[in-house]
Amino acid sequence: MTFESAAPDLATGKPLLIRGLLAKPGGARPFPDGRHSSYLRRGTPQLSHVWPAVFVKQGYVSLTVDSYGSREVANCRNDFTRTTAADPLRPYKVIAADAPGALAYLHKLSIVKNKKVVVAGFSLGGIVIHMTILPDYAKVKPFHAFNAAISLYGNCAVQCTLPMTELPDAPLPFVAIIGQKDERILRNCQTHLPRGPNTKLHVLPGAYH
């Protein structure tokens, strides 16, 4: 499946179609509860198959977004994800612009019962949530908004020099999942994550990125 990103193609300036993988449970329709949208690191089977299978087994529809492959770039690090002094958040803003299109696509599906959608980001996708989606929602929450957010292994600072915006609480229910052995990431997030009741930090014992 494809949907249009809110950010134009960087090379042509024209609307960009983003590719994604849609997974859905079998059985009667509509399916209970909401949907799940995540950011796919190109060629990573854990994100393209393993995690979607987990969500589908629980009765959710899963949309895995290929923000890299749709822009014809390879896995990290690449020219697209490198930050610049002029705009260190540029790649994260561009990827975040794929989220509204994914959300709009999911809202149009008739195979689900309600419009509750969770956005989940893995690694760089988690940074996108920390650095762009949470602060943007804290300023103005969109009319069509995600209902919750999950960050898995996402750092709370860009190269430890640019932390996420300090927020008293997340503007929507939010879970950050980090491995206990990811000491630098864990330390950054313990320092910079919001402290309010909407935010939960879950540490995986003995795990690392």
Side-chain angles (χ1 to χ4, degrees), residues 13-177:
K14 297 180 180 179
L16 177 65
L17 287 180
I18 301 297
R19 297 190 295 270
L21 300 174
L22 185 69
K24 54 190 179 182
R29 301 181 183 187
F31 302 120
D33 238 334
R35 274 82 66 203
H36 163 84
S37 175
S38 65
Y39 295 98
L40 169 63
R41 289 181 62 183
R42 189 177 183 183
T44 307
Q46 290 90 339
L47 302 187
S48 61
H49 295 87
V50 175
W51 277 104
V54 171
F55 294 118
V56 166
K57 188 176 181 179
Q58 298 179 32
Y60 295 90
V61 172
S62 171
L63 173 59
T64 305
V65 178
D66 189 358
S67 294
Y68 282 9
S70 302
R71 293 179 170 85
E72 302 302 327
V73 296
N75 284 339
C76 290
R77 288 184 171 262
N78 53 57
D79 290 338
F80 171 68
T81 59
R82 285 192 185 93
T83 59
T84 64
D87 188 2
L89 295 181
R90 172 183 166 274
Y92 310 108
K93 293 175 182 176
V94 172
I95 293 178
D98 295 346
L103 181 63
Y105 175 86
L106 291 168
H107 275 174
K108 293 176 182 178
L109 293 180
S110 61
I111 58 174
V112 293
K113 185 172 61 177
N114 57 46
K115 302 301 180 183
K116 293 181 179 179
V117 183
V118 176
V119 60
F122 299 81
S123 191
L124 185 141
I127 301 176
V128 169
I129 291 174
H130 295 161
M131 305 301 291
T132 62
I133 293 179
L134 291 183
D136 286 351
Y137 273 43
K139 293 176 184 176
V140 179
K141 194 170 183 180
F143 180 76
H144 295 294
F146 292 105
N147 297 87
I150 302 170
S151 168
L152 182 64
Y153 297 142
N155 206 336
C156 293
V158 178
Q159 299 178 349
C160 297
T161 59
L162 180 63
M164 65 181 291
T165 302
E166 299 289 344
L167 300 172
D169 196 4
L172 71 172
F174 169 61
V175 178
I177 303 172

